Amino acid sequence: MSLTEMSSGSPRDLLICLSHLRWDLVVQRPHHLLNRAARDFRVVYVEEPLPGDRDDVRLRWDGEVLIATPIVADGTIDVESVVAERVRQLAAMCRSRRLVLWYYTPMALPLGTGLEPDCVVYDCMDELSMFKDPPPHLREREQELLRDCDLLFTGGESLQESKSSHRPDAHCFPSSIDAAHFQRARAADRPEPSDQADIPQPRIGYFGVLDERLDLSLLTAIARARPDWHFVMLGPVVKIDPAELPRPSNIHWLGAKAYDALPNYLGGWDAGFMPFALNDSTRFISPTKTPEFLAAGLPVVSTPVRDVVRGYGDDGLVEIADGPTEMIARLEKALSERDDPQRLRAANARIATTSWDATWAQMLRLLEQKLPAPAQTTPITAEAAHV
């Protein structure tokens, strides 16, 4: 759909997502949900602004999602007001029947100024105040958003428990799975990526954003203790100095990879691991990669992140290890069970219970309960969610 068609066509329900995440960084929860939301809404994804010579907004399509990147002139003092005006212009251009504002960060709260949404959603996928260098006033704005939003979704049980004192009506939607995509890793005829082909086996891999949530000292200790194992690390480096990455010869930093290419990399690994640091930044995480590893057919070892332990470790689907010695022992066990049919059956049974399609369908039902009935038209129903 062109911008002209959006502004001249018949009014549709509009979902404007205000996020702190760059759309092109890595595919994660917002991509899975909003691509499905675009079947039922016009969806506009507003990124954080970038500096430029003059005020502007860059628009581009990714499938059926319109990505809007506000550009704010250098030296602008009140950046939020400039961006809020751009958001109002986008809302007017899209000619909505009903308007949903969907927040991934409380810092974007002022960007909804002047709009009259029919429903405000806070999809809390992380405890951002616990991350490295959180912005000022984040906690205060979250309190306001928690108070005023119509729907609160959380990305895991720990987050739901954390927010329950403010919003006992929070709905928990843990990380789900695009199973068919990651099951491609199991195909015998999958191509081997050229930058991985010469890495010896066994290969133990991680994929995702490389930031303060990783325990680099743990990774270094394991790599040095087992020089015969090779660790493949995929993803962009964010908020940490690349010079701080450990460089033993058996750790291979291959950089960010396209979502479509991930199954080809994972298919060449013998185990997956999640060497998360146990600190404030990981206290409430529910990693999307956990079910993705399982769908790829890989045994998985993780540090004892609470939601991983409760959601997967207690059921024997993920090995849990605390410290280098235990991590090495659990990885040895995982490598020995790479092709164990019982483990694969258990993984298959778990991933069959969830999907991003089903998650969106449940969210849509809750949205419809909050949205007013549209005038002279048929309301969206969960049955129309293409699940």
Side-chain angles (χ1 to χ4, degrees):
M1 179 185 294
S2 69
L3 296 178
T4 301
E5 290 172 323
M6 286 186 71
S7 59
S8 62
S10 59
R12 285 188 59 196
D13 293 322
L14 173 64
L15 188 156
I16 297 179
C17 177
L18 302 166
S19 180
H20 60 297
L21 300 168
R22 293 286 165 205
W23 184 261
D24 290 336
L25 184 63
V26 292
V27 172
Q28 48 192 311
R29 181 183 181 95
H31 300 74
H32 293 297
L33 292 174
L34 297 178
N35 278 313
R36 287 160 176 79
R39 302 165 182 168
D40 305 287
F41 295 84
R42 287 176 175 157
V43 176
V44 179
Y45 184 88
V46 182
E47 301 183 311
E48 288 189 333
L50 293 174
D53 295 334
R54 60 186 178 85
D55 294 341
D56 199 359
V57 60
R58 296 174 187 165
L59 301 175
R60 63 181 180 83
W61 291 98
D62 187 350
E64 294 299 314
V65 178
L66 179 63
I67 314 302
T69 308
I71 308 299
V72 179
D74 292 325
T76 299
I77 296 175
D78 191 355
V79 172
E80 289 178 341
S81 293
V82 173
V83 177
E85 176 61 25
R86 293 289 174 267
V87 174
R88 289 192 290 271
Q89 291 171 353
L90 287 167
M93 177 187 71
C94 293
R95 301 186 64 223
S96 63
R97 299 183 308 174
R98 302 181 294 182
L99 173 62
V100 175
L101 286 185
W102 186 290
Y103 289 90
Y104 276 108
T105 172
M107 294 307 295
L109 196 57
L111 306 186
T113 301
L115 298 176
E116 296 182 359
D118 296 286
C119 185
V120 174
V121 178
Y122 179 22
D123 187 16
C124 181
M125 60 181 283
D126 288 305
E127 184 59 78
L128 296 177
S129 64
M130 297 290 193
F131 282 17
K132 185 178 180 181
D133 302 325
H137 312 302
L138 176 60
R139 290 183 183 273
E140 292 87 344
R141 289 189 180 181
E142 184 177 60
Q143 293 303 309
E144 184 179 350
L145 183 54
L146 287 171
R147 184 191 67 224
D148 294 341
C149 68
D150 299 293
L151 285 171
L152 172 63
F153 302 145
T154 67
E157 290 184 25
S158 295
L159 273 173
Q160 183 186 37
E161 292 166 357
S162 172
K163 307 304 178 187
S164 62
S165 61
H166 303 282
R167 290 296 297 258
D169 59 344
H171 302 274
C172 181
F173 289 102
S175 298
S176 194
I177 177 67
D178 181 354
H181 180 76
F182 283 93
Q183 284 172 335
R184 288 166 39 200
R186 306 188 190 191
D189 60 348
R190 59 163 185 80
E192 180 73 87
S194 59
D195 57 349
Q196 181 171 276
D198 294 333
I199 297 176
Q201 290 179 296
R203 299 174 187 154
I204 299 165
Y206 173 90
F207 66 101
V209 176
L210 307 174
D211 58 16
E212 76 272 17
R213 289 172 291 179
L214 287 183
D215 189 338
L216 297 180
S217 62
L218 174 64
L219 173 60
T220 302
I222 299 169
R224 288 176 175 168
R226 292 303 302 259
D228 55 321
W229 292 350
H230 287 264
F231 298 86
V232 181
M233 308 294 290
L234 308 181
V237 179
V238 176
K239 293 197 293 184
I240 59 175
D241 185 350
E244 296 178 1
L245 300 179
R247 299 291 179 176
S249 61
N250 59 334
I251 301 180
H252 308 270
W253 304 95
L254 301 188
K257 304 300 175 184
Y259 182 71
D260 286 345
L262 289 177
N264 294 336
Y265 283 91
L266 273 63
W269 298 352
D270 299 286
F273 81 139
M274 298 188 294
F276 289 115
L278 300 179
N279 57 29
D280 285 344
S281 69
T282 62
R283 182 179 172 189
F284 299 103
I285 64 171
S286 179
T288 305
K289 63 182 59 56
T290 313
E292 293 170 345
F293 271 134
L294 296 179
L298 291 170
V300 190
V301 183
S302 175
T303 51
V305 173
R306 188 189 308 176
D307 280 8
V308 176
V309 173
R310 294 192 297 188
Y312 298 91
D314 289 345
D315 294 334
L317 294 165
V318 172
E319 295 288 333
I320 304 299
D322 190 3
T325 300
E326 191 172 352
M327 179 67 77
I328 290 170
R330 296 295 182 178
L331 283 171
E332 287 175 341
K333 181 176 185 290
L335 291 171
S336 71
E337 296 176 350
R338 173 67 172 88
D339 298 314
D340 178 46
Q342 183 175 349
R343 182 191 64 78
L344 288 171
R345 283 195 296 270
N348 291 342
R350 170 56 66 86
I351 63 175
T353 65
T354 183
S355 71
W356 287 114
D357 283 335
T359 295
W360 171 248
Q362 294 173 49
M363 288 179 168
L364 183 59
R365 291 187 186 99
L366 293 169
L367 267 172
E368 276 301 322
Q369 293 171 15
K370 297 292 184 179
L371 286 168
Q376 298 180 343
T377 188
T378 302
I380 302 171
T381 64
E383 286 71 21
H386 304 284
V387 295

